[in-house]
Amino acid sequence: SRSWHNDIVNEGKNYLLNVAFGGAAAQSQASPWYISIVDNATWTAFAAGDIMSAHAGWIEWQDYSAATRVEWVDESSTAQSKSNSVTSADFTVAAGGEGDALKGIFVTSNNTKGGTTGFLWSTGAFSAVLNVQENDVIKVTYTVSVT
């Protein structure tokens, strides 16, 4: 079990404000949200200005068995937090992922593996690079807290 800090990107912050407070820039709520994995192979940095169609410092790792990104199944808010602690987002490493190194995660509104549309909510680097083998299961629990 590893824990790390994630960064809400600018697009995610604007999305939150536009959904919660609406007004002239009101947006519909995206539901559900999806988690995916960041490859370490070409990672250089996460940036506040990253969006799904443009994130020069990283690429999505796709060598897991699910056909789509994994849904974040959140629970009711408690203590100013939302989490998927009951139902983790599980990624089973496929044969093509043998020996890969993973950098972190991102949360998006689009479930298309490798997709470049939808909202990018956040990115986060693992506390250390995660080296994986075929059939490993990566269990991701993601918590959003407002403090």
Side-chain angles (χ1 to χ4, degrees), residues 47-102:
D50 285 347
I51 59 176
M52 286 309 302
S53 62
H55 44 80
W58 56 275
I59 61 171
E60 181 177 0
W61 176 75
Q62 299 179 50
D63 289 327
Y64 54 93
S65 60
T68 62
R69 294 173 180 147
V70 179
E71 184 177 339
W72 179 59
V73 181
D74 66 307
E75 296 118 32
S76 294
S77 297
T78 58
Q80 297 79 50
S81 290
K82 278 187 97 55
S83 180
N84 67 324
S85 60
V86 173
T87 306
S88 61
D90 296 351
F91 299 83
T92 301
V93 179
E98 177 75 25
D100 285 355
L102 312 179

Side-chain angles (χ1 to χ4, degrees), residues 2-3 5 21 24 29 31 37 42-44 47 60 62 65 67 73 88 94 103 113-114 119 121 124 127-129 131:
R2 300 177 188 199
S3 182
H5 176 77
F21 296 99
Q29 180 183 7
S31 181
I37 307 285
T42 61
W43 187 87
T44 56
E60 181 177 0
Q62 299 179 50
S65 60
V73 181
S88 61
K103 185 63 181 180
K113 221 177 187 181
F119 292 104
W121 167 253
S127 57
V129 171
N131 295 297

